[in-house]
Amino acid sequence: MATSRRIERVASMIKREVSLMLLNGIKDDRVGAGMVSVTEVVVSGDLQHTKIFVSIYGTDEAKAETMEGLKSATSYVRNQLGQRLQLRRTPGVAFLEDRSLERGDKMLILLNQLSVDRKPDILDNEELTDDDRDDDLEADED
């Protein structure tokens, strides 16, 4: 088993190299259908398997097309990683779509809707006059 520090180093090197391959190396037109970025790389403890999480910006059709292009390019990516990285064994590569950015956007939209819905309630409470507030304070003191 590799140490956690080594696993992190290998993961960051794989992330850097795969990002460069996405820019320059992979010639498949399907990969260019959506804007692709590597968000995270998870390497197994024995350095034999790698999960590469990618975020794809575009329509659902472009996302599906891009994922198919990436899956067909896994052997090329693994081969290139073997040449670029000095590892005893080149890990197997699996591309997975990362939808965390979409979920984050949905959460922000929901939070914004909640804040808009609550503003009328806050404004209703602020309409109390100073005399009403003084009456409320005197009632609390009793």
Side-chain angles (χ1 to χ4, degrees), residues 8-39:
E8 289 175 16
R9 276 196 354 245
V10 169
S12 69
M13 289 189 318
I14 290 173
K15 183 177 181 179
R16 183 185 69 230
E17 293 301 328
V18 171
S19 296
L20 290 173
M21 281 185 245
L22 287 172
L23 287 175
N24 303 323
I26 299 175
K27 301 294 184 207
D28 194 340
D29 290 335
R30 294 178 291 180
V31 175
M35 196 168 77
V36 183
S37 63
V38 178
T39 56

Side-chain angles (χ1 to χ4, degrees), residues 121-140:
D121 294 339
I122 293 170
L123 292 176
D124 289 341
N125 290 339
E126 289 179 358
E127 290 177 1
L128 293 175
T129 62
D130 290 334
D131 294 335
D132 293 335
R133 287 190 190 129
D134 291 338
D135 293 340
D136 289 340
L137 288 175
E138 289 173 6
D140 289 340

Side-chain angles (χ1 to χ4, degrees), residues 78-127:
R78 185 172 188 230
N79 186 5
Q80 287 296 310
L81 286 175
Q83 292 176 7
R84 295 178 186 196
L85 303 177
Q86 301 299 320
L87 297 173
R88 183 173 294 151
R89 292 186 184 159
T90 305
V93 174
F95 285 100
L96 301 169
E97 187 175 356
D98 185 6
R99 295 186 177 261
S100 62
L101 295 176
E102 292 175 14
R103 286 193 304 265
D105 285 342
K106 287 180 183 177
M107 290 301 292
L108 286 175
I109 290 170
L110 289 173
L111 289 172
N112 286 336
Q113 286 177 349
L114 280 174
S115 68
V116 167
D117 291 344
R118 287 189 171 187
K119 281 186 181 176
D121 294 339
I122 293 170
L123 292 176
D124 289 341
N125 290 339
E126 289 179 358
E127 290 177 1

Side-chain angles (χ1 to χ4, degrees), residues 10 42-51 78 87-93:
V10 169
V42 176
V43 180
S44 65
D46 59 357
L47 301 176
Q48 295 297 309
H49 305 284
T50 303
K51 294 179 185 176
R78 185 172 188 230
L87 297 173
R88 183 173 294 151
R89 292 186 184 159
T90 305
V93 174

